Amino acid sequence: MPLGLLEVRRVRNIDFTRMEPGPSINVLAGDNGSGKTSLLEAIHILGVGKSFRTTQTKDIMRRNSQDFSVTGRYINTGGLATTVGIKRIQKGFEIKINGVTEKKVATLAKVFPLQCITADSHFGFLHSAKQRRATLDWGLFHVEPDFYEIWLRYRRLIKQRNAALKERASQRLLEALDKSLIPTAKSLNNFRLFYLDHLNSVLCDYGWIYSDSGATTLTLELLKGWGDGVSFEQALQKDRERDYQRGITHSGPHRADIVFRINNERMADFASNGQQKLGVIALCLAQMELLANTSGHRPLLLLDDISAELDQFHGAKLMKKLASLQLQVFATATDVSQVPLKHWPEARVFHVEQGTFLQEKIKAYA
């Protein structure tokens, strides 16, 4: 579902802009500080309800402004349009889909899937188990309709169990909570295992990102969040005294992790920073390819400064692969020549200056 119309108001140095992106790649070219990344940030907010640059809402708003808003119109494969808007208000965000107010930010993500690759996006994945879980669950959210409700239920039950532990609740109450928690945890774990199996079947074909020989194999392994060789029930029983002492639940899908392997070796144990960056990019692309193949949705990809992310050789390989996936892409660069476009006949280029976006006349790019 490509983004066909975008309006941004009062986001950083963008006072107001209205643009009509193309369905394939859209290059935002301009000097540093011109507003390129601010536009990506606005699209990200429209897609997931938060910035990829900051957790402080006040930093997003244009100077001396009290609010900001982003509106987009998405066109599905049947030609039907969905209008989505998000506006910063005093007590949070106002979200509207086709004019109807929505309370949950998750409703934004359901309109269209979005991924973002920035100069430091791989750091969060490499150094945070929470981020790695979020990466896995992003894919599940978009391909498995029942996953989100199970995920919410599990979060609610863990919160209740941790509260009971902190209050030193009786063993009887804890056992009653566990009767609901255990099957929910098993369902969540099974969803992740099922998804990871399908994701690995796609990821295994991404060895080209390292070598044209195809000798490199990439795989992901799930660490479910409790010890091997024991059931979740046994893990809870084993941890009970420790759980009471610290007031938290030590085992469960909320402690799950994934291990990225290159040729069966843990990427974190030997790979250089550049190799790890390539691995995370490969994972991102594999997830979007799997989503497109299983759901028919066309994910949207944000690429911030590709020339800083990859050298010319790997950048060209990435662009060729992206073109074959038929994604909608927004890519920033200080000059359009930094983005290989020969595989994108429908490329659109927007020159950016002081928060203003001007579409360039269509021409062929080598």
Side-chain angles (χ1 to χ4, degrees):
M1 183 180 287
L3 180 62
L5 177 68
L6 178 68
E7 292 185 351
V8 181
R9 290 176 171 84
R10 296 178 294 281
V11 172
R12 296 195 186 267
N13 65 336
I14 302 174
D15 182 36
F16 172 76
T17 192
R18 184 180 189 274
M19 62 189 300
E20 297 183 6
S24 60
I25 190 168
N26 299 273
V27 180
L28 313 176
D31 295 336
N32 293 329
S34 61
K36 307 184 303 293
T37 302
S38 296
L39 190 81
L40 296 193
E41 184 178 25
I43 297 172
H44 194 274
I45 293 168
L46 184 64
V48 299
K50 62 181 180 181
S51 166
F52 62 82
R53 302 170 75 184
T54 181
T55 58
Q56 302 297 317
T57 305
K58 62 180 178 61
D59 294 336
I60 302 171
M61 292 184 290
R62 185 173 171 83
R63 185 176 298 178
N64 299 323
S65 297
Q66 301 300 314
D67 63 6
F68 66 84
S69 67
V70 188
T71 303
R73 187 175 68 223
Y74 306 98
I75 312 298
N76 66 17
T77 53
L80 296 177
T82 299
T83 301
V84 179
I86 183 167
K87 181 179 180 180
R88 172 67 181 177
I89 56 178
Q90 187 174 5
K91 295 182 179 180
F93 288 109
E94 178 183 75
I95 299 168
K96 289 189 176 183
I97 298 179
N98 287 332
V100 178
T101 301
E102 299 284 349
K103 294 182 179 180
K104 295 182 179 179
V105 174
T107 56
L108 290 172
K110 289 183 179 180
V111 175
F112 79 110
L114 179 148
Q115 287 272 30
C116 181
I117 297 176
T118 69
D120 58 0
S121 58
H122 65 292
F123 285 110
F125 179 88
L126 296 173
H127 300 293
S128 169
K130 181 179 179 181
Q131 184 60 44
R132 290 189 289 272
R133 284 193 300 274
T135 299
L136 189 65
D137 291 344
W138 176 90
L140 271 164
F141 176 84
H142 288 291
V143 303
E144 177 48 64
D146 296 328
F147 168 76
Y148 185 58
E149 290 303 321
I150 291 293
W151 182 80
L152 286 177
R153 177 174 173 78
Y154 181 80
R155 287 188 64 188
R156 183 172 64 252
L157 289 169
I158 280 293
K159 185 177 180 180
Q160 292 174 352
R161 191 178 195 271
N162 288 342
L165 290 167
K166 289 182 173 67
E167 295 171 1
R168 304 291 298 181
S170 66
Q171 294 269 1
R172 187 174 180 179
L173 175 58
L174 208 62
E175 289 172 357
L177 288 171
D178 288 351
K179 284 184 178 180
S180 296
L181 179 67
I182 290 169
T184 306
K186 289 181 178 178
S187 294
L188 183 53
N189 185 62
N190 287 338
F191 274 133
R192 286 172 172 168
L193 286 171
F194 180 79
Y195 176 73
L196 208 60
D197 183 55
H198 285 77
L199 180 59
N200 276 327
S201 69
V202 178
L203 186 61
C204 68
D205 293 329
Y206 275 78
W208 58 264
I209 204 164
Y210 292 104
S211 170
D212 288 329
S213 68
T216 305
T217 60
L218 309 180
T219 54
L220 298 173
E221 174 190 353
L222 178 67
L223 305 180
K224 58 184 182 291
W226 63 92
D228 292 332
V230 298
S231 66
F232 184 46
E233 298 96 317
Q234 291 170 330
L236 289 176
Q237 292 171 3
K238 181 180 178 181
D239 290 341
R240 184 155 294 175
E241 186 55 39
R242 183 172 61 152
D243 288 353
Y244 268 122
Q245 289 176 356
R246 300 189 181 182
I248 58 171
T249 304
H250 286 82
S251 295
H254 63 290
R255 305 297 291 273
D257 202 352
I258 53 177
V259 177
F260 201 126
R261 295 187 181 276
I262 303 177
N263 291 335
N264 294 322
E265 295 186 58
R266 291 172 61 103
M267 181 173 70
D269 292 342
F270 76 93
S272 67
N273 184 65
Q275 289 174 318
Q276 293 183 54
K277 181 183 295 187
L278 288 174
V280 174
I281 291 174
L283 172 57
C284 176
L285 299 187
Q287 283 194 291
M288 291 189 292
E289 181 174 352
L290 177 60
L291 174 59
N293 290 342
T294 56
S295 70
H297 291 303
R298 293 179 60 190
L300 187 152
L301 176 63
L302 307 178
L303 282 176
D304 193 22
D305 195 358
I306 184 176
S307 62
E309 281 292 291
L310 303 171
D311 57 35
Q312 186 175 5
F313 174 74
H314 287 99
K317 293 174 73 174
L318 171 63
M319 282 295 151
K320 183 178 180 180
K321 180 62 177 180
L322 286 177
S324 73
L325 296 179
Q326 297 185 335
L327 306 175
Q328 186 180 35
V329 179
F330 288 80
T332 67
T334 53
D335 190 274
V336 67
S337 64
Q338 297 171 339
V339 185
L341 293 176
K342 67 178 181 179
H343 300 291
W344 303 82
E346 296 183 89
R348 294 190 186 182
V349 176
F350 297 85
H351 284 289
V352 190
E353 186 174 347
Q354 296 181 347
T356 300
F357 296 76
L358 179 63
Q359 184 177 347
E360 183 180 286
K361 291 183 179 180
I362 298 176
K363 65 179 179 180
Y365 289 92

